[in-house]
Amino acid sequence: MKKELKRVVGIVLVLTLVIASVIPFDANAYNVARIETTDQDNNATTLNGFKTDNVPVPYVDVVEYMNKVYAENNQFSLEAQGNSVYKISNAKGSMTLDATNNTLHSDKIEQFLYNDQKQKPGNDLEYVYEHIVGTEYRAAPNALDINFGEYGIDILEEGGRVFMPLTTIADLTGVSYTNTVFCEDHIYLNYSSGKPGCNWQANYKYPDARDAGEKAYTYGELCFVFDKIYGDPPHCILADSIKNNGLDATLESYSDETRKVKELLNSDNTVDFLFGIAILSSMLYDGGHTDLFMDISTDLEGTPAYDALKNMVKEQPDNPTVVLFNKWFNGSQSKMGAKQKIKEYDREFDKYQAIFDEQMEDGNRYRYYEYGDTGIFVYSNYDENVVRYFKKALDIAKEHGMKNFLFDDSDNGGGSTESCMYMLNAITKDKRDEFYYEGTMTGNQTYEKLDYDMDQDGVFEGDNEDFNYDFNYAVMCSQGSYSSGNIFPCLCQEAGIPIIGEQSAGGTCNLVFFKMDLGSQYSMSAFRTFNYMRGGDLEAGATPDYDITRKNDDGTTDYTNFRNFELLNNIINNHYASKNAASGQDGTSTKVPVVPKTGDRLIDFILQLFV
């Protein structure tokens, strides 16, 4: 969730392998080459690496790669320990790689890896509103041990340096929100979900058979990511089995259908592989974070391999693979569509005059309305822009004498956890400069301390920020409130702020983007499962104090009252009047009206498979 939904097609890091320019240390076993590099600021630099016959991506110098990924104030260094063991350290921690046994060990992997990444350059409008002060533990941490050999992945050494396959080290450092693609003898290092301008689609060969090395590495790498980094979100039916047994054993033992998926993933045929990815993606449905297929289906459109898949779906409906695909894919799309029902009620806002209504090129929208005593801030995601417009709405509400401030979080698919925490910090009585989570690689109960530029003056001033808004706050959420859109109402409720609407939708893990070695992008729940301050994850969502949903005749949810500003204004006024009366701040007692409970992000995405 941290900066995970920026979807920035950023400046890419272009790395060209130049075999003629040998690095200046002794290279006995591998043809290590100087790699010409263009970094994020368009400066020329270098990186060291080499190719092997059985891995489809280059091996890269681990320390050099990590120094390209993380902020300059968090540099990594290497220390040889003897016997092919290397210790890699930064200011906050370390990990040890054993090139003989292909193992990794770290006592505190969260402190080592969960740090500030390089900032996206070249955008003067980007407001840097927070930075990570430190990562701490709520209990004695568990160490992390990974045997890469179990996944057919080697750690190699050469000339006193340690090397790993590009995709493997990129996956391991994916919490930095940097991902990489190897294409046409280049490496592209991208920000978040940015995609390079290269023809990686050609890696999906059809009708030629898949290379044996690519097959083995792709499957082994996928198993590594799911066994060690995946967040095991409760909404996924396979999550418990993957957590306890690993991906490979789950596919082998869970059902005949999962065994078929394993067979497809390991097929020589590219179209079989695509079907395997699509079916597995649907089996892993968790509300929206984990999706192995969406970007493949979008970006492979028009290629021979994807055209062959679509033709099979249309022309061979009785093919067992197509039957399995239709069952799972249609089921996950139906679940996703139901979560987006609230979007249909957006037209109800037309009844009111917005104080401001700002829509970005990426589709994100920020609106502010006023009705009675209440300022209403409507926003569709959490990013840098939301903290700007949130403060703008607060300033207007204060100027106009509003008593209440309502967050309409009901159609919010998520975004940056830091933006979410900035807003929480702004409205809670006790400063919330840290957020709590369980590290998915270790199970460690962990928290990160943040420093905010609350008054947005470009200076981090600690508790001396000029920021004070005294409103009665409330939050409105729904089944359209997912990921950070779920975290915010959950943590607000924990802080005693009333919740209006319906149960929020969960999605308590980080959304992180990864790249397969073939170049295609996928997303998954990974690295962190966010917790309440008091402990426990947020997957169940926030239960509303005031449920204002109704049921339509067809069983769908009627969200009309979510846009009934008179009702919302009255609920907030009465809630705080009753609260003040109960606490002795008011000489009267006001009964809060009972709102009848008549009813019990993600991505607007439709595949044109049947057109």
Side-chain angles (χ1 to χ4, degrees), residues 47-48 59-68 76 78 88 95 97 112 155-156 161-165 169 172-173:
L47 189 65
N48 294 305
Y59 275 76
V60 295
D61 184 311
V62 174
V63 172
E64 285 189 299
Y65 177 82
M66 296 176 86
N67 281 331
K68 303 291 186 188
F76 295 76
L78 182 73
I88 300 173
M95 72 176 180
L97 298 178
F112 180 64
I155 299 172
L156 300 177
R161 308 283 185 92
V162 63
F163 296 82
M164 293 179 70
I169 187 60
L172 187 64
T173 59

Side-chain angles (χ1 to χ4, degrees), residues 293-549:
F293 190 56
M294 182 185 68
D295 283 296
I296 291 180
S297 63
T298 301
D299 296 335
L300 286 186
E301 185 71 38
T303 65
Y306 196 66
D307 286 348
L309 181 147
K310 292 206 300 183
N311 288 337
M312 281 185 63
V313 171
K314 294 175 185 177
E315 299 171 5
Q316 302 180 41
D318 296 328
N319 182 301
T321 298
V322 174
V323 170
L324 189 60
F325 168 81
N326 284 335
K327 171 186 173 181
W328 284 96
F329 179 75
N330 292 341
S332 65
Q333 292 301 292
S334 176
K335 292 176 183 177
M336 192 178 295
K339 284 168 58 70
Q340 301 306 302
K341 182 70 175 175
I342 193 169
K343 290 183 182 295
E344 298 177 11
Y345 291 81
D346 196 67
R347 63 185 180 273
E348 296 288 331
F349 284 120
D350 294 340
K351 296 183 297 187
Y352 309 99
Q353 179 66 45
I355 307 297
F356 68 75
D357 185 348
E358 300 287 346
Q359 185 154 359
M360 306 292 105
E361 290 183 2
D362 60 10
N364 291 323
R365 193 174 183 183
Y366 312 92
R367 287 172 280 185
Y368 175 69
Y369 300 87
E370 290 179 348
Y371 187 95
D373 299 315
T374 304
I376 302 165
F377 182 50
V378 185
Y379 55 109
S380 56
N381 80 311
Y382 289 90
D383 65 359
E384 291 84 358
N385 288 317
V386 76
V387 299
R388 293 179 186 273
Y389 288 112
F390 165 55
K391 187 173 185 303
K392 179 178 179 178
L394 288 176
D395 288 335
I396 295 172
K398 188 174 185 178
E399 179 184 346
H400 291 182
M402 296 294 106
K403 290 196 313 183
N404 311 320
F405 193 95
L406 172 65
F407 296 83
D408 187 342
D409 184 78
S410 61
D411 181 18
N412 194 310
S416 163
T417 306
E418 284 69 28
S419 295
C420 168
M421 294 303 297
Y422 172 101
M423 293 165 68
L424 182 73
N425 188 46
I427 68 175
T428 53
K429 291 182 179 179
D430 298 322
K431 184 175 174 63
R432 283 299 304 270
D433 56 359
E434 52 198 35
F435 63 86
Y436 299 87
Y437 60 88
E438 178 180 299
T440 64
M441 302 176 76
T442 60
N444 288 330
Q445 298 300 312
T446 311
Y447 67 94
E448 286 188 8
K449 291 189 67 65
L450 302 172
D451 192 12
Y452 302 102
D453 177 18
M454 293 302 300
D455 55 16
Q456 302 184 21
D457 64 354
V459 181
F460 288 88
E461 300 158 319
D463 293 334
N464 295 320
E465 299 280 346
D466 182 17
F467 193 91
N468 182 27
Y469 299 89
D470 187 20
F471 296 111
N472 297 323
Y473 293 102
V475 178
M476 188 159 59
C477 61
S478 77
Q479 281 294 291
S481 307
Y482 183 73
S483 191
S484 287
N486 170 72
I487 291 176
F488 186 71
C490 286
L491 296 184
C492 283
Q493 188 167 55
E494 184 182 38
I497 294 170
I499 306 300
I500 303 168
E502 72 173 341
Q503 192 98 1
S504 57
T508 188
C509 291
N510 261 119
L511 182 154
V512 180
F513 291 100
F514 298 89
K515 292 285 199 299
M516 295 182 188
D517 58 281
L518 291 171
S520 52
Q521 179 172 281
Y522 65 99
S523 65
M524 62 185 288
S525 295
F527 287 108
R528 289 182 282 211
T529 300
F530 293 95
N531 295 152
Y532 288 101
M533 180 185 287
R534 65 175 182 267
D537 69 53
L538 309 143
E539 189 66 30
T543 301
D545 299 288
Y546 304 96
D547 187 336
I548 58 174
T549 56

Side-chain angles (χ1 to χ4, degrees), residues 71-92:
E72 287 77 2
N73 62 357
N74 186 38
Q75 291 297 285
F76 295 76
S77 61
L78 182 73
E79 181 183 353
Q81 305 291 293
N83 299 317
S84 301
V85 176
Y86 297 86
K87 183 178 181 180
I88 300 173
S89 304
N90 60 21
K92 300 178 181 179

